[in-house]
């Protein structure tokens, strides 16, 4: 009976406890969907909330299955189960007991209970965050291998069931390295699947870049392969109870997005901002590295002074190691810290004859640019033209782009890069000075990446805006920079090289895709001028702009980093070269006839020699 339930729940006999669980199940089984989340747990049994935490770790498997069955109904109907603190308490007890480490049917019931606790949350994703943090804190570090594996699987199931945008990205960033380096192979695989799903949902690797940079090369390749095989996020299978009342805000002629979709988008924006804020906070608390003092402890100077290129690259490797972890943070120049000598040495190495030395020197310059920022403007700004010129060497094209990407936002902004006297236009516009088409193309592609990554001034004025440590505080797109970039595109769409013309067209398309009224007003006059100067390019860009502004169309993904761009396969310029050449059998020479003819010629010569007169007759 109901009066004897509290005593039966504390009985040492498992059959008695199981009978109490089944009696509680019968009390909730009569409820209907209208009672979901409305039942007061104390109306069933006094202090039932604390008793449920004890039920789910019952030592007897027979009784445990009944306890989990009741706990599932409790989560579905009782109001207190929708609280994040109660959900976290139940999950903690499940990890301590045998529910997640026993037979498969019991494990399945325990997983269903945890997912139900996430679903019934009364405050959005608060229960999901609380449960996932318990799984990461207590489950991943548990001594039982089965608990670790099931905890990792549950975190992945959460991402696939509710969407990765509902996960606590900050907590996952902290605990993901433990999962990726776990001794159990399936746990590492689950961690990769989890990171891949998060990257798909957040539109790229940026929120987890700090985790990805510390992964092994094989794991990074596996992650890239997972993203390549599936680029879009997995659709959520379960809707949160707090969002189930969402209705479509659409009419018959103009269908619009549902409130649920808007809620997910709001959650996505909130998670992105939270991830940026978490990364910015972590970067602010990071200790600045005095790379000059660290280099003095090594044999950097002696190796750099040697003649062999391999010794110089070894010295530059030492410098990169002394810089610390990404994102780099170094001591700013002062009276006691001077970067003049080291930047001078790197500048000399840019003109070295071996490309490996050039590549390592560029990596060191990129590291200093990110680590010190605008304080080295006077030293690094003159190197931009030299670095951009190295792009003509195909072995250095990629590393040149990566170095320029680090200089932008940390050392210089778009206004300085587009300065007509001392910026990129000064060496891109004049084809006589810059005859290499590959270098001109790479400079325009670099500007396109800058515009795609930059933020507009209006966004920076928002109170919730946080500077991304990987991007820098100077990555701002102003109307002045937009107008200068449009003028550059107007000139380069008539370049003599087709690849440069295409790069200029793509840059103009990126400008037109910026959703800001001040930027649009700045570039519109130049775009209209293009109509009279190059009508073909104008029509192409106008068509792209109309397609991107149509409702329901997907905007182009500009979050791809330089490292994910795949080169296109080269094709022969002539169509005839791609056709197979037919093989015509050549007639073999008849060796028998040749031999007979040779014999006949030899016999004729012999006959002629035998018919000659003797020596005496000849004298006579």
């Amino acid at each position: 009976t109901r009066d004897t339930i509290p005593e039966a729940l504390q009985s040492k006999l498992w059959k008695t406890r199981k009978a109490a669980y089944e009696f509680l199940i019968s009390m909730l089984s009569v409820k209907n969907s209208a009672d979901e989340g409305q039942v007061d747990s104390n109306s069933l049994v006094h202090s039932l909330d604390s008793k449920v935490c004890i039920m789910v770790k019952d030592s007897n498997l027979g009784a445990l299955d009944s306890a989990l069955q009741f706990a599932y109904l409790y989560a579905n109907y009782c109001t207190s189960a929708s609280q994040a603190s109660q959900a976290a308490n139940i999950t903690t007890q499940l990890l301590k007991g045998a529910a997640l480490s026993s037979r498969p049917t019991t494990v399945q019931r325990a997983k269903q209970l945890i997912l139900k606790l996430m679903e019934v949350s009364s405050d959005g994703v608060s229960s999901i965050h609380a449960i996932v943090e318990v799984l990461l804190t207590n489950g991943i570090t548990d001594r039982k291998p089965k608990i670790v594996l099931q905890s990792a699987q549950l975190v992945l199931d959460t991402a696939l069931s509710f969407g990765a945008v509902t996960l606590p990205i900050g907590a996952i960033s902290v605990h993901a390295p433990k999962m990726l380096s776990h001794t159990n192979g399936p746990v590492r695989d689950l961690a990769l699947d989890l990171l891949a799903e998060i990257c798909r949902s957040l539109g790229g690797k940026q929120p987890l870049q700090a985790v990805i940079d510390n992964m092994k090369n094989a794991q990074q390749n596996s992650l890239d392969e997972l993203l390549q095989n599936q680029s879009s996020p997995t659709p959520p299978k379960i809707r949160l109870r707090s969002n189930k009342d969402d209705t479509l805000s659409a009419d018959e002629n103009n269908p619009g997005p549902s409130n649920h979709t808007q809620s997910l988008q709001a959650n996505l924006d909130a998670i992105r901002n939270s991830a940026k804020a978490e990364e910015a906070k972590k970067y602010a608390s990071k200790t600045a590295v005095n790379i000059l003092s660290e280099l003095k402890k090594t044999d950097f100077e002696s190796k750099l002074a040697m003649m062999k290129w391999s010794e110089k690259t070894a010295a530059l490797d030492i410098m990169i190691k002394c810089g610390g972890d990404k994102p780099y943070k170094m001591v700013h120049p002062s009276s006691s810290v001077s970067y003049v000598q080291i930047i001078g040495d790197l500048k000399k190495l840019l003109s070295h004859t071996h490309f490996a030395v050039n590549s390592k020197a560029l990596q060191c310059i990129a590291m200093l640019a990110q680590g010190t920022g605008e304080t080295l403007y006077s030293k690094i700004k003159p190197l931009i033209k030299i670095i951009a010129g190295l792009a003509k060497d195909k072995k250095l094209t990629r590393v040149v782009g990566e170095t320029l990407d680090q200089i932008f936002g940390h050392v210089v902004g778009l206004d300085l890069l587009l300065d007509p006297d001392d910026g990129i236009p000064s060496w891109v516009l004049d084809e006589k000075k810059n005859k290499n088409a590959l270098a001109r193309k790479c400079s325009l592609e670099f500007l396109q990446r800058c515009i795609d990554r930059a933020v507009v001034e209006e966004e920076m004025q928002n109170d919730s805006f946080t500077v991304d440590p990987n991007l820098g505080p100077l990555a701002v797109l102003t109307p002045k920079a937009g107008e200068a970039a449009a003028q550059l595109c107007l000139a380069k769409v008539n370049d003599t090289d087709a690849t440069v013309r295409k790069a200029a067209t793509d840059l103009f398309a990126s400008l037109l895709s910026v959703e800001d009224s001040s930027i649009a007003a700045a570039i519109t006059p130049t775009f209209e001028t293009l109509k009279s100067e190059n009508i073909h390019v104008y029509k192409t860009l106008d068509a792209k702009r109309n397609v991107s502004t149509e409702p329901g169309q997907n905007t182009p993904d500009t979050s791809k980093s330089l490292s994910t761009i795949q080169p296109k396969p080269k094709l022969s310029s002539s169509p005839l070269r791609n056709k197979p050449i037919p093989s015509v059998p050549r007639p073999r020479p008849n060796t028998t006839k040749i031999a007979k003819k040779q014999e006949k010629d030899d016999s004729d010569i012999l006959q002629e020699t035998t018919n000659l007169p003797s020596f005496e007759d000849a004298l006579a």
Side-chain angles (χ1 to χ4, degrees):
T1 63
R2 179 176 295 189
D3 296 334
T4 59
I5 286 178
E7 183 181 354
L9 291 175
Q10 298 177 357
S11 175
K12 294 183 179 181
L13 300 176
W14 69 269
K15 290 185 178 181
T16 304
R17 295 195 305 273
K18 182 177 180 180
Y21 302 153
E22 291 177 348
F23 184 82
L24 291 172
I25 291 172
S26 64
M27 294 176 64
L28 289 178
S29 297
V30 297
K31 305 293 182 181
N32 52 35
S33 59
D35 298 322
E36 291 181 351
Q38 304 298 324
V39 177
D40 183 9
S41 59
N42 290 323
S43 64
L44 301 175
V45 177
H46 182 67
S47 301
L48 180 61
D49 296 337
S50 59
K51 289 179 171 60
V52 170
C53 296
I54 301 174
M55 294 180 192
V56 295
K57 61 174 185 177
D58 198 296
S59 58
N60 184 272
L61 293 181
L64 179 59
D65 286 342
S66 298
L68 293 175
Q69 186 178 355
F70 166 72
Y72 183 87
L73 295 173
Y74 162 83
N76 192 34
Y77 291 108
C78 294
T79 306
S80 54
S82 62
Q83 301 299 320
S85 57
Q86 178 68 1
N89 291 335
I90 294 175
T91 306
T92 302
Q93 299 304 320
L94 286 171
L95 294 175
K96 292 181 179 179
L100 290 170
S101 59
S102 58
R103 53 193 179 189
T105 54
T106 306
V107 172
Q108 187 63 25
R109 283 195 175 98
K111 287 183 176 181
Q112 291 175 354
L113 170 60
I114 291 176
L115 293 177
K116 176 58 71 173
L117 290 170
M118 295 179 181
E119 177 190 348
V120 302
S121 175
S122 60
D123 187 17
V125 296
S126 58
S127 292
I128 294 179
H129 286 199
I131 291 174
V132 170
E133 288 179 2
V134 170
L135 293 173
L136 294 173
T137 305
N138 301 337
I140 300 299
T141 58
D142 198 272
R143 294 182 180 180
K144 299 178 182 178
K146 289 185 177 180
I147 296 292
V148 178
L149 183 61
Q150 297 301 336
S151 298
Q153 183 66 59
L154 274 167
V155 177
L156 178 60
D157 289 344
T158 303
L160 299 178
S161 300
F162 302 97
V165 294
T166 61
L167 295 175
I169 305 299
I172 290 176
S173 300
V174 173
H175 294 89
K178 299 178 183 177
M179 299 172 64
L180 292 167
S181 60
H182 202 273
T183 55
N184 194 344
V187 175
R188 299 194 299 270
D189 295 338
L190 290 171
L192 284 175
D193 292 337
L194 175 63
L195 294 181
E197 187 61 29
I198 293 174
C199 291
R200 296 186 195 106
S201 299
L202 300 185
K205 302 178 181 178
Q206 191 64 32
L208 297 175
Q209 194 62 49
V211 178
I212 296 173
D213 290 340
N214 293 324
M215 289 166 52
K216 296 180 180 179
N217 293 334
Q219 290 178 329
Q220 293 185 11
N221 295 335
S222 299
L223 179 62
D224 293 337
E225 185 177 353
L226 290 173
L227 294 176
Q228 186 177 3
N229 294 337
Q230 180 185 347
S231 58
S232 57
T234 304
K237 303 174 184 177
I238 305 175
R239 178 177 291 187
L240 296 175
R241 179 176 288 177
S242 57
N243 292 333
K244 280 188 177 181
D245 295 332
D246 292 346
T247 57
L248 292 176
S249 59
D251 54 51
E252 185 177 356
N253 299 323
N254 185 23
S258 65
N259 292 334
H260 176 62
T261 304
Q262 295 175 354
S263 177
L264 286 180
Q265 184 62 37
N267 289 339
L268 175 60
D269 295 338
I271 288 174
R272 284 176 176 172
N273 294 333
S274 176
K276 289 182 180 179
E278 186 75 19
E279 192 170 358
K281 183 179 179 181
K282 184 179 178 181
Y283 183 78
S285 61
K286 187 177 181 179
T287 304
V289 177
N290 190 342
I291 191 171
L292 299 179
S293 62
E294 295 294 328
L295 288 175
K296 291 179 181 179
K297 302 175 184 178
T298 65
D299 55 348
F300 168 76
E301 293 184 0
S302 60
K303 284 184 175 293
L304 192 65
M306 294 182 180
M307 297 299 296
K308 290 184 177 181
W309 68 267
S310 57
E311 296 293 341
K312 293 184 181 296
T313 56
L316 296 174
D317 283 332
I318 293 174
M319 181 177 175
I320 294 173
K321 185 177 180 180
C322 291
D325 299 329
K326 295 180 180 180
Y328 299 109
K329 185 176 182 180
M330 300 180 185
V331 176
H332 289 177
S334 61
S335 57
S336 59
V337 180
S338 176
Y339 292 92
V340 176
Q341 180 63 38
I342 194 167
I343 292 180
D345 294 337
L346 294 174
K347 182 180 178 181
K348 293 177 182 178
L349 293 177
L350 292 179
S351 59
H352 196 275
T353 56
H354 202 285
F355 77 94
V357 179
N358 305 144
S359 178
K360 291 294 182 181
L362 288 170
Q363 293 179 37
C364 291
I365 293 174
M367 178 181 66
L368 292 176
Q370 186 184 33
T372 58
E374 197 177 2
T375 56
L376 285 183
Y377 167 79
S378 60
K379 304 296 185 299
I380 295 181
K381 174 63 169 61
L383 300 179
I384 296 179
K385 184 177 180 180
I386 301 174
I387 294 172
L390 292 175
K392 62 185 179 182
D393 187 350
K394 293 183 179 180
K395 297 177 182 177
L396 298 174
T397 301
R398 181 173 293 274
V399 69
V400 164
E402 293 173 351
T403 303
L404 292 175
D405 288 346
Q406 292 299 330
I407 293 176
F408 168 69
H410 294 99
V411 180
V412 295
L414 276 170
D415 289 336
L416 291 173
L417 285 175
L418 291 165
D419 184 27
D421 299 325
D422 195 26
I424 291 179
S426 63
W427 69 76
V428 172
L429 287 173
D430 193 350
E431 296 184 29
K432 294 182 179 179
K433 293 182 179 179
N434 192 358
K435 298 181 180 180
N436 191 276
L438 180 59
R440 299 198 303 272
K441 178 179 79 77
C442 291
S443 297
L444 293 175
E445 290 175 345
F446 163 58
L447 281 178
Q448 182 185 1
R449 293 195 301 274
C450 293
I451 290 173
D452 290 340
R453 297 162 59 205
V455 296
V456 295
E457 289 181 312
E458 184 179 354
E459 185 178 349
M460 292 190 66
Q461 295 173 0
N462 193 348
D463 295 336
S464 61
F465 176 76
T466 305
V467 177
D468 188 352
N470 293 298
L471 187 57
L474 302 178
V476 184
L477 177 59
T478 62
K480 178 183 176 182
E483 182 181 3
Q487 292 289 341
L488 178 62
C489 293
L490 181 64
K492 298 316 292 178
V493 292
N494 298 317
D495 195 276
T496 56
D497 187 82
T499 60
V500 179
R501 295 196 298 269
K502 183 180 183 304
T505 305
D506 294 340
L507 175 57
F508 218 141
S510 293
L511 283 171
L512 293 172
S513 66
V514 176
E515 297 179 357
D516 184 76
S517 57
S518 60
I519 302 298
I523 66 176
T524 298
T526 307
F527 181 64
E528 294 301 327
T529 306
L530 183 65
K531 186 175 182 180
S532 59
E533 294 195 7
N534 197 322
I535 186 63
H536 176 69
V537 176
Y538 175 84
K539 289 183 177 180
T540 302
L541 292 174
D542 192 47
K544 289 182 179 180
R545 183 174 63 169
N546 292 336
V547 169
S548 63
T549 54
E550 287 180 1
Q553 295 289 338
N554 293 327
T555 56
D557 184 11
T558 59
S559 62
K560 292 183 179 180
S561 62
L562 187 64
S563 59
T564 61
I565 298 175
Q566 299 294 333
K568 295 182 179 180
K570 294 183 179 180
L571 299 177
S572 174
S573 58
S574 174
L576 297 176
R577 295 182 181 179
N578 295 328
K579 295 182 179 180
I581 301 175
S583 57
V584 180
R586 297 177 61 184
R588 287 189 174 185
N590 195 333
T591 54
T592 306
K593 292 182 179 180
I594 295 175
K596 288 182 178 179
K597 184 179 179 182
Q598 185 67 29
E599 265 183 37
K600 184 179 179 182
D601 294 341
D602 294 343
S603 63
D604 291 343
I605 295 172
L606 181 61
Q607 186 177 359
E608 291 177 1
T609 55
T610 54
N611 293 334
L612 291 175
S614 63
F615 181 73
E616 292 81 0
D617 293 339
L619 289 177

